[in-house]
């Protein structure tokens, strides 16, 4: 539970990569010429895209229904430009590979091959696994505090932070769900939902850190802490979605929240005498390794596995250990409460 600073810190790092939109690959003159030619002809080499004909014939999606693209194409938003960029990227990277050049990023992303229409299939699968781990951790925590640990005479749990962890689980699962959706198809809507859910998770994690680290039990004080935290959080999300989607500002907010959480948990860990402290240290060092992997940001292996995918993989065992620590904390606090009341 003290480890709950780690996932938001990792999320903050992912916010940073939103800044990396302009890339050397999409500035390449050969790539640009390929995209322009594809938009006119609807073909890249021997591969042609039928829905490009709608645009080459100067028909837009605002025209009559019988001149618009099929609904299944509009829903996926794999339009002519998207397909042209993707196949020109693969074609250009194939040429560069023959010349012995290293891969380049295009529009902020490495050249990763699609699979069944999914942009980053490995990262999506690992995000789904992270979602499953979060769900499993929450369910096991729920069963522990509600069915295995004793209740107070008032039929309440002895663990004062049970409800907070249930809400935390919702934010965490929401984040991994939209991460999987965003990595499946990066469009404006999925991008906003991904970044909004990341900020929401960070904001709530900061609130949880303040409540747990300072041992706040009175509801009135919790409300006093929640009001400014959630007020600032809501304002930021509304600003990002309805005024200006500013990657730089979002990064600064993410980093500030994460730095504050780390300071809070570091102070708590320094003075706490928790019997399962070793799990916290494993998460800290494991998190450091995950950060190095993410920052290294190497080009994809076999066109599928990049640094982002490996970072998602490292989060799976860390998330499992995280919930294990939360359950240990509930057992420990329950034991202390029962012994105190004897």
């Amino acid at each position: 539970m003290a480890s709950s600073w780690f996932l938001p810190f990792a999320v903050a790092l992912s916010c940073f990569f939103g800044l990396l939109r302009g890339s050397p690959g999409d500035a390449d003159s050969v790539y640009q010429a390929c995209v322009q030619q594809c938009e006119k002809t609807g073909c890249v080499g021997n591969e042609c895209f039928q829905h490009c004909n709608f645009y080459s014939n100067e028909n837009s999606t605002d025209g009559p229904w019988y001149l618009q693209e099929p609904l299944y194409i509009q829903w996926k938003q794999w339009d002519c430009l998207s397909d042209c960029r993707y196949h020109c990227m693969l074609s250009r990277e194939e040429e560069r590979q023959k010349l012995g050049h290293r891969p380049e990023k295009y529009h902020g992303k490495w050249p990763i091959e699609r699979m069944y229409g999914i942009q980053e299939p490995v990262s999506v699968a690992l995000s789904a696994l992270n979602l499953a781990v979060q769900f499993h951790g929450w369910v096991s925590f729920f069963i522990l505090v509600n069915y295995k640990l004793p209740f107070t005479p008032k039929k309440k749990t002895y663990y004062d932070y049970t409800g907070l962890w249930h809400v935390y689980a919702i934010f965490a699962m929401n984040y991994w769900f939209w991460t999987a959706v965003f990595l499946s198809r990066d469009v404006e809507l999925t991008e906003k939902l991904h970044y909004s859910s990341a900020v929401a998770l960070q904001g709530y994690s900061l609130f949880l850190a303040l409540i747990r680290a300072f041992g706040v039990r009175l509801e009135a004080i919790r409300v006093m802490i929640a009001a400014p935290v959630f007020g600032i959080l809501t304002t930021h999300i509304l600003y990002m979605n309805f005024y200006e989607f500013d990657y730089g500002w979002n990064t600064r907010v993410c980093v500030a929240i994460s730095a504050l959480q780390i300071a809070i948990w570091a102070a708590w860990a320094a003075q706490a005498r928790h019997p399962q402290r070793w799990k916290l240290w494993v998460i800290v060092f494991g998190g450091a390794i995950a950060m190095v992997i993410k920052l290294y940001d190497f080009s994809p292996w076999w066109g599928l596995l990049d640094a982002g995918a490996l970072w998602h993989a490292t989060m799976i065992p860390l998330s499992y250990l995280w919930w294990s620590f939360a359950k240990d904390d509930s057992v420990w606090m329950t034991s202390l409460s029962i012994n105190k009341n004897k």
Side-chain angles (χ1 to χ4, degrees), residues 182-223:
F182 171 67
L183 294 172
S184 298
R185 183 67 178 99
D186 179 1
V187 295
E188 182 180 0
L189 177 61
T190 59
E191 180 182 51
K192 287 184 175 181
L193 288 169
H194 167 69
Y195 283 105
S196 296
S197 62
V199 174
L201 173 60
Q202 287 200 359
Y204 186 80
S205 297
L206 174 60
F207 170 70
L208 179 61
L210 291 167
I211 298 301
R212 179 63 186 90
F214 291 99
V216 180
R217 291 179 169 85
L218 294 177
E219 288 297 325
I221 299 178
R222 289 186 178 186
V223 171

Side-chain angles (χ1 to χ4, degrees), residues 136-150:
H136 174 270
W138 169 61
V139 170
S140 60
F141 175 80
F142 180 88
I143 293 173
L144 174 67
V145 296
N146 288 283
Y147 296 99
K148 295 182 179 181
L149 295 179

Side-chain angles (χ1 to χ4, degrees), residues 76-88:
K76 291 191 302 182
Q77 295 193 42
W78 286 123
D79 54 20
C80 181
L81 178 59
S82 298
D83 275 338
C84 285
R85 284 179 172 179
Y86 173 72
H87 288 280
C88 283

Side-chain angles (χ1 to χ4, degrees), residues 15 28 64 212 228 287:
C15 291
D28 184 88
R212 179 63 186 90

